[in-house]
Amino acid sequence: MDTTVATTGTEGQKWGGASKPLNVSYGKMMMWFFILSDALTFTGFLAAYGFSRFKFIEEWPIADEVFNHFPFLHGTDAPMFYVALMTFILIGSSVTMVLAVDAGHHMNKKKVSLYMLLTIIGGLIFVGSQAWEWKNFIAGEYGAVKTKGGKILQFLDVKTGERVALNEFVEVGPRDVDTYGNSEGIWYTTSGEYNATYTIEEVKKGFVDNPNVTIRTQQLVVNEETGASEKLVLSREDALVKLNKDAVGVVEGANLTENEYGAPLFADFFFFITGFHGFHVFSGVIFNLIIFFNVLLGTYEKRRSYEMVEKVGLYWHFVDLVWVFVFTFFYLV
Amino acid sequence: MADHAAHDGHKLAIFRGTLKFKSNTQKIWGVLIFLSLITIVEVALGYIKPDFLNAKVIGLKLLNWIFIILTLVKAYYITWDFMHMRDEASGLRRSVVWTSVFLIIYLMVILLVEGEYIYQVYKNAAVSFDF
């Protein structure tokens, strides 16, 4: 480390750098305290999520139903499997990172660069997976109807209890306005009415014409037999009354103001927390890349110390650590 | 290479000394296997959702308590073995871990209690919030 530290004239004195407080170098200690503060930022987000969830404890979306996609398995209900896979990818890249740190302690340049490369690849796969999750979440699957009170009504098959997508029972009627496409350059100003595939009147008509469809509200009720929380399913008669009295708009997919899964806050927190975490993974990949090139250039070989690998390693493990909590509180609990 | 001696001094035992590894690399793989097992158990429980785990214990379902405890176990091994907290001086360990644990519990308890209170206010309000 001698080559990296400037001479200050205070060598040998207690606070001049002769003794390391707490037995760690300055950089490593600061990385630990940065991680501490960053952990508290994430705590703030997750605590706010918990607050909102407790506030709307009887109407929060059920995560298994929202995140049930798996690549190449279209239409299969695969709750959380993809997120679990992402967890394994991130833990795996954490392992290659710690192996790189270990190889660094043995001054093994070849192994450090190999493991750093694997870590970076793992991180990139993870960020890509997160983008894919976002894509599915934003696109939505079934579509729903919004009420005056801002609640979401979803459609079900009366007999099987399976979800029914809007396109299975609603037909697009004539439009008396021209819809604008991307080429007109005003796509971002379109209101929900023009943007959505269906109008609320078309949904109402399709609902009346299809007696095998009913409505599920956001309300969670406890199933007396199993003790599990389930969404309240309305009878066909109640559903007709509810739809005609309360429904005001069609919701397809998710954005920051509304989403077809339920409470708008759910999507807000999803974007914010997984987005902030994804940004950490992304910046972690950048840091790892910089250190990786430094390893290749032999910078740490010259310094006779691979401590920089250890410092970015701490950051990388922290990103993994946060994901463990996000996984639990967003997808499992 | 002044640091070399200190780095070779990894503590190689986990589970309070019941499982000892021969080298740091072996310990890393051991911890990976342990973390993977926990994740598999979590996903399996989340998929099956056994009925008897729906019982409520202190405001939360038993299943959710299990998830939270397993998460804390995972967090412990990531911090202690991947981030080498096990090998750091106790002063550094305490200043990072105790501070965060205290502040996190503090914030969580306050916000969750407040959230539950607002839920009760909405629920018992004279005006319906689902109009």
Side-chain angles (χ1 to χ4, degrees):
Chain A
M1 286 290 289
D2 297 341
T3 49
T4 59
V5 181
T7 319
T8 57
T10 51
E11 287 79 18
Q13 294 177 23
K14 185 104 183 136
W15 291 100
S19 67
K20 290 176 176 172
L22 299 176
N23 247 337
V24 281
S25 69
Y26 174 79
K28 213 165 126 184
M29 193 198 283
M30 287 306 114
M31 183 51 95
W32 266 115
F33 286 116
F34 164 70
I35 286 173
L36 171 61
S37 71
D38 214 17
L40 293 174
T41 310
F42 274 105
T43 307
F45 291 158
L46 284 175
Y49 175 82
F51 169 82
S52 303
R53 186 162 173 179
F54 269 55
K55 181 171 155 186
F56 298 112
I57 194 81
E58 277 184 348
E59 50 188 278
W60 205 250
I62 299 170
D64 300 4
E65 295 177 355
V66 180
F67 308 102
N68 59 355
H69 301 82
F70 201 89
F72 311 115
L73 297 177
H74 295 288
T76 331
D77 183 42
M80 299 177 318
F81 289 170
Y82 194 57
V83 207
L85 181 68
M86 284 163 71
T87 309
F88 283 117
I89 291 169
L90 204 56
I91 292 180
S93 82
S94 237
V95 166
T96 53
M97 186 77 234
V98 76
L99 288 171
V101 173
D102 188 69
H105 290 160
H106 296 106
M107 301 298 291
N108 188 335
K109 183 180 159 185
K110 253 193 182 157
K111 268 193 174 173
V112 177
S113 30
L114 171 70
Y115 286 133
M116 287 295 290
L117 183 66
L118 289 176
T119 308
I120 291 164
I121 292 171
L124 287 175
I125 295 175
F126 184 87
V127 179
S129 306
Q130 231 167 16
W132 192 75
E133 281 271 303
W134 272 49
K135 188 215 94 191
N136 286 327
F137 187 80
I138 292 170
E141 195 173 357
Y142 299 103
V145 156
K146 192 170 69 173
T147 70
K148 277 182 285 187
K151 309 287 181 192
I152 289 292
L153 304 177
Q154 298 166 330
F155 297 96
L156 287 187
D157 192 301
V158 174
K159 290 191 195 75
T160 61
E162 301 276 324
R163 292 283 300 279
V164 176
L166 286 181
N167 62 18
E168 290 176 58
F169 71 98
V170 185
E171 280 170 28
V172 181
R175 295 278 189 278
D176 54 354
V177 269
D178 290 327
T179 45
Y180 288 103
N182 291 359
S183 58
E184 281 82 9
I186 56 164
W187 51 274
Y188 52 87
T189 61
T190 49
S191 70
E193 278 294 296
Y194 300 106
N195 209 8
T197 321
Y198 312 100
T199 65
I200 185 66
E201 297 310 323
E202 285 160 7
V203 174
K204 282 179 183 169
K205 185 173 173 299
F207 190 80
V208 173
D209 293 345
N210 286 275
N212 56 337
V213 179
T214 190
I215 280 179
R216 189 174 84 156
T217 67
Q218 284 183 21
Q219 188 76 24
L220 282 169
V221 282
V222 176
N223 184 328
E224 294 296 336
E225 266 176 52
T226 62
S229 298
E230 292 165 359
K231 298 276 179 187
L232 179 68
V233 179
L234 300 179
S235 69
R236 176 79 190 164
E237 292 74 40
D238 293 349
L240 266 171
V241 174
K242 182 97 179 155
L243 190 65
N244 283 316
K245 191 163 72 76
D246 291 345
V248 291
V250 179
V251 182
E252 289 168 302
N255 54 46
L256 285 174
T257 47
E258 56 184 22
N259 69 76
E260 64 170 57
Y261 312 104
L265 274 174
F266 178 73
D268 298 347
F269 278 114
F270 176 77
F271 289 131
F272 212 60
I273 295 177
T274 65
F276 199 63
H277 177 262
F279 179 65
H280 273 74
V281 180
F282 175 72
S283 47
V285 167
I286 301 283
F287 295 154
N288 282 347
L289 265 177
I290 295 171
I291 301 302
F292 173 63
F293 286 126
N294 271 334
V295 171
L296 290 186
L297 290 172
T299 312
Y300 308 123
E301 202 71 24
K302 278 178 217 142
R303 270 187 209 171
R304 306 299 300 149
S305 164
Y306 276 89
E307 207 195 49
M308 279 310 286
V309 177
E310 207 172 330
K311 285 177 212 160
V312 287
L314 282 180
Y315 181 75
W316 191 252
H317 296 310
F318 170 68
V319 167
D320 182 27
L321 186 65
V322 169
W323 180 253
V324 165
F325 284 93
V326 172
F327 177 62
T328 300
F329 291 113
F330 236 96
Y331 298 93
L332 288 178
V333 167
Chain B
M1 279 315 295
D3 288 343
H4 207 156
H7 286 314
D8 281 339
H10 285 300
K11 291 179 183 148
L12 296 177
I14 62 172
F15 303 141
R16 301 206 145 264
T18 44
L19 189 53
K20 289 194 180 76
F21 294 99
K22 287 198 191 74
S23 72
N24 194 36
T25 327
Q26 269 194 8
K27 187 179 80 168
I28 295 165
W29 290 113
V31 171
L32 170 68
I33 292 168
F34 181 61
L35 292 180
S36 304
L37 279 179
I38 293 184
T39 309
I40 290 169
V41 169
E42 279 183 339
V43 173
L45 281 178
Y47 186 66
I48 303 166
K49 291 204 171 124
D51 288 344
F52 70 94
L53 293 179
N54 283 325
K56 287 244 177 178
V57 181
I58 334 177
L60 276 184
K61 280 180 185 164
L62 191 55
L63 186 63
N64 289 350
W65 279 117
I66 292 174
F67 285 147
I68 291 169
I69 289 164
L70 289 179
T71 304
L72 292 176
V73 172
K74 275 207 277 188
Y76 173 86
Y77 283 98
I78 290 174
T79 319
W80 255 245
D81 290 309
F82 286 178
M83 299 168 99
H84 300 302
M85 209 36 143
R86 209 185 280 282
D87 306 325
E88 301 294 355
S90 60
L92 178 67
R93 198 167 63 226
R94 286 171 192 162
S95 59
V96 171
V97 176
W98 290 4
T99 312
S100 53
V101 167
F102 167 72
L103 288 173
I104 289 169
I105 292 176
Y106 182 66
L107 189 64
M108 285 316 264
V109 168
I110 284 182
L111 281 185
L112 294 187
V113 168
E114 184 69 11
E116 161 71 15
Y117 169 74
I118 293 179
Y119 161 72
Q120 294 292 346
V121 169
Y122 275 7
K123 196 181 174 189
N124 304 321
V127 181
S128 169
F129 283 84
D130 184 8
F131 44 87

